[in-house]
Amino acid sequence: MQKLYVESMLPVGPEVAWDVFESDAFRDRLAQHTGMSSEVLSDRDEGSVNIRTIKFTSGDELPKLVQKAMGATHLSYEQTNRFDAGKSRLDWDVKIPSLGDRLTVTGITTIEPSGTGSRRVVDGTIEVRMRFVGGQIEKAVVSQ
């Protein structure tokens, strides 16, 4: 299992930060800078929670060993985000269709006020249950 943890200090308040990170413009800039393309597959509200599923496809080729195990040259995954603006919290999970139930990727992103801006924390885990190549796939997914 790999741990994913990123902490960032942002020069804006939480509401502005969420508006940026959850925008189409952010995903467009992400594609320009990383080659990671995205497509919104669904977007709906359940009470105060917005649920959005996005398909991401990496522009970088996976390592050969990982390509063989996944049956693909590029990482492609579907991320479902459950955003509760009132709690300033985004719960997310990732699915890679070719790995099915052999993969678990989940996490929480929070943005809280801090000083003159905010503190963003992305905290998650990835586990690939495949003998010999699971760790390599985990590293490839985390790096993307």
Side-chain angles (χ1 to χ4, degrees):
M1 180 179 338
Q2 292 275 323
K3 182 78 172 154
L4 171 63
Y5 185 87
V6 179
E7 186 174 328
S8 308
M9 298 305 292
L10 306 171
V12 297
E15 187 173 304
V16 172
W18 283 119
D19 285 346
V20 169
F21 286 117
E22 291 300 299
S23 70
D24 292 335
F26 178 79
R27 286 191 305 280
D28 290 344
R29 284 193 308 273
L30 181 68
Q32 289 173 358
H33 292 286
T34 67
M36 178 77 72
S37 63
S38 64
E39 172 190 1
V40 176
L41 301 178
S42 66
D43 191 355
R44 69 184 191 284
D45 292 324
E46 287 185 8
S48 63
V49 176
N50 175 257
I51 302 170
R52 180 179 295 158
T53 300
I54 305 167
K55 180 180 180 181
F56 291 94
T57 303
S58 172
D60 297 332
E61 283 196 12
L62 293 165
K64 296 295 182 193
L65 178 66
V66 176
Q67 287 182 27
K68 281 188 171 191
M70 292 183 60
T73 57
H74 293 81
L75 177 64
S76 183
Y77 63 91
E78 295 176 9
Q79 179 171 324
T80 300
N81 295 334
R82 291 165 191 80
F83 177 55
D84 188 331
K87 294 180 180 176
S88 197
R89 176 182 167 126
L90 178 89
D91 291 80
W92 47 268
D93 64 74
V94 172
K95 303 222 180 305
I96 299 177
S98 64
L99 296 181
D101 64 359
R102 295 177 290 175
L103 170 79
T104 303
V105 183
T106 60
I108 299 167
T109 301
T110 57
I111 303 178
E112 300 296 332
S114 177
T116 60
S118 57
R119 177 176 166 258
R120 177 179 181 243
V121 175
V122 178
D123 191 5
T125 58
I126 175 171
E127 182 178 11
V128 179
R129 292 170 295 283
M130 292 177 71
R131 291 177 66 107
F132 306 116
V133 296
Q136 293 298 317
I137 293 172
E138 289 172 1
K139 288 177 187 173
V141 172
V142 168
S143 73
Q144 296 293 321

